[in-house]
Amino acid sequence: MKRRDFIKVTGLGAAGAATLAAPAIAQSMPEIKWRMPTSWPKSLDTLFGGAEMMCKMVAEATDNKFQIQIFAAGEIVPGLQVLDAVQNGTCEIGHTASYYYFGKDPTFTFGSAVPFGPNMRINQAWYMLGGGRDVLNEFYKSYNVVSLLAGNTGCQMGGWFRKEVNTPDDLKGMKFRIGGFTGRVLQKLGVVPQQLAGGDIYPALEKGTIDAAEWVGPYDDEKLGFYKIAPHYYYPGWWEGGPMLMAFVNLDKWNALPKYYQSVLEQAGHYANNYMMARYDNANPLALKKLLAGGTKLHAFSPSIMDACYKAAKELHAEVAATNPNFKKVHDSLAKFTSDGYAWFQVAEVGYDIFMARRSQS
């Protein structure tokens, strides 16, 4: 039977024919509107931009049926209260760093980065394929949220200091803006850690409320203007070899989503993750070159500082694991994965670096 004859026989008009032509999945998609507070100021087109990209991908994949409105830090809740807003149902989803909430439980540090932990590739492999997502979401469940991978900054810098630091003694009494669990590591060396949201760091540094500050890396740090006040720029950020960023979703809202929307949300997070890593890899080298040309003084942390920090980190890991079963469970999961995987990554990456160095000389 020809199509026009079928329409005549069944009594379908143009509207009915259009309905038949539309994909069945599009017809069944409900219209949903969520709100996403973030921990980032709008000026950071990497962090805030990555969250924006996630929302954009969700809308495009659902023909705008599933829309997520994004908010900068402070527009709905302060930057360090995103988890709380999602947990209590004020908002359905939030984009943040897990380790900001270590004060609730030190286990939150593993959802971002653990001091002297893995790089971004190993962190991501553990989360996606090594059991990390399951063990973390088991922990997050007690806070009424589920996590989705939604960003990574790559290895970070060691921060901006008003004066040079050459020995562990130079750190004593220093008021240092440092995020999450690492502050407790540095407390062992006499540092006074301060946890501040990104938009609050410059005013604190300018007023002298803090003596030093770390954020992410050259691209974001230049935008936030730290070089204007603290000329000494240190590396490496041993506390963040490859910190993951999370989209926390209210557990009840997640469970109520159609499976297709759950899949779209998860894949949009992966897209934002890859986008963010590429943005940093592209932007950081040029930003560092610009900072150095403008007078920034680049330093490596001395071996004595690195050794003291490593010792303090291992001591703290052991102390917390001995009293916190959540921390120990996630710690053991990551430790097993990295012990199995580090050798491969080291062989592969060192071998590649040697090859490229020889190639550039030929």
Side-chain angles (χ1 to χ4, degrees):
M1 182 181 292
K2 295 181 180 179
R3 182 175 182 271
R4 63 175 175 268
D5 294 333
F6 172 76
I7 292 173
K8 289 178 181 178
V9 170
T10 58
L12 288 172
T19 302
L20 280 176
I25 193 166
Q27 298 176 45
S28 64
M29 289 193 298
E31 292 190 3
I32 295 177
K33 292 185 178 181
W34 279 8
R35 298 192 304 169
M36 175 193 275
T38 72
S39 294
W40 330 117
K42 289 182 179 179
S43 60
L44 298 181
D45 58 358
T46 44
L47 295 164
F48 188 81
E52 279 186 313
M53 185 62 68
M54 182 178 183
C55 298
K56 180 175 181 287
M57 293 296 102
V58 169
E60 289 185 358
T62 61
D63 196 25
N64 288 317
K65 294 290 185 68
F66 187 3
Q67 296 186 23
I68 302 175
Q69 185 178 5
I70 186 172
F71 296 89
E75 290 185 337
I76 294 182
V77 294
L80 301 183
Q81 293 179 23
V82 171
L83 172 67
D84 304 82
V86 177
Q87 180 183 357
N88 63 31
T90 300
C91 300
E92 297 83 2
I93 185 172
H95 196 276
T96 187
S98 178
Y99 61 12
Y100 286 163
Y101 311 100
F102 84 104
K104 299 176 183 292
D105 189 311
T107 310
F108 274 101
T109 194
F110 292 103
S112 292
V114 63
F116 292 100
N119 63 21
M120 66 182 180
R121 289 174 61 193
I122 300 177
N123 239 349
Q124 182 167 306
W126 169 67
Y127 181 87
M128 292 178 61
L129 303 172
R133 175 172 53 188
D134 292 339
V135 73
L136 282 173
N137 278 338
E138 181 182 343
F139 166 69
Y140 293 141
K141 187 176 181 179
S142 62
Y143 291 86
N144 197 38
V145 297
V146 62
S147 70
L148 299 175
L149 191 63
N152 198 307
T153 69
C155 187
Q156 298 195 4
M157 294 291 283
W160 299 84
F161 294 74
R162 292 179 180 275
K163 61 181 183 179
E164 290 188 44
V165 289
N166 298 307
T167 71
D169 285 342
D170 293 334
L171 299 174
K172 291 180 179 178
M174 178 175 289
K175 292 171 289 185
F176 186 17
R177 185 277 169 194
I178 183 78
F181 188 70
T182 306
R184 291 183 58 185
V185 175
L186 289 172
Q187 274 184 312
K188 287 179 170 286
L189 303 181
V191 171
V192 182
Q194 309 286 319
Q195 180 153 285
L196 301 171
D200 298 328
I201 300 173
Y202 185 90
L205 200 58
E206 185 177 37
K207 294 175 183 176
T209 307
I210 55 176
D211 305 306
E214 63 82 34
W215 179 241
V216 174
Y219 183 70
D220 284 351
D221 292 358
E222 182 192 14
K223 281 181 172 291
L224 294 176
F226 304 145
Y227 64 93
K228 299 175 184 177
I229 303 168
H232 300 283
Y233 200 22
Y234 278 82
Y235 69 91
W238 46 265
W239 44 86
E240 298 183 77
M244 300 179 289
L245 301 176
M246 296 295 181
F248 285 128
V249 184
N250 179 276
L251 193 57
D252 295 330
K253 294 295 183 180
W254 171 258
N255 290 332
L257 276 182
K259 293 296 183 183
Y260 176 68
Y261 280 6
Q262 288 183 352
S263 179
V264 166
L265 199 56
E266 184 172 5
Q267 294 309 313
H270 282 297
Y271 186 91
N273 180 63
N274 291 334
Y275 169 82
M276 191 181 295
M277 289 191 290
R279 284 280 291 151
Y280 276 117
D281 284 346
N282 178 65
N284 274 331
L286 296 176
L288 181 59
K289 185 177 180 180
K290 183 178 177 181
L291 285 167
L292 295 178
T296 292
K297 301 172 184 178
L298 186 65
H299 309 272
F301 282 126
S302 68
S304 63
I305 288 178
M306 291 295 289
D307 288 343
C309 291
Y310 182 78
K311 180 182 178 183
K314 292 304 178 185
E315 287 178 355
L316 186 60
H317 292 169
E319 290 167 7
V320 177
T323 59
N324 186 320
N326 290 324
F327 185 95
K328 185 178 188 307
K329 186 172 185 177
V330 182
H331 176 276
D332 290 350
S333 171
L334 180 59
K336 182 181 186 305
F337 184 81
T338 53
S339 66
D340 292 342
Y342 258 138
W344 155 248
F345 280 101
Q346 288 174 339
V347 169
E349 291 179 351
V350 171
Y352 180 79
D353 290 344
I354 292 173
F355 168 78
M356 291 302 291
R358 289 174 177 170
R359 186 172 181 271
S360 66
Q361 296 170 1
S362 61

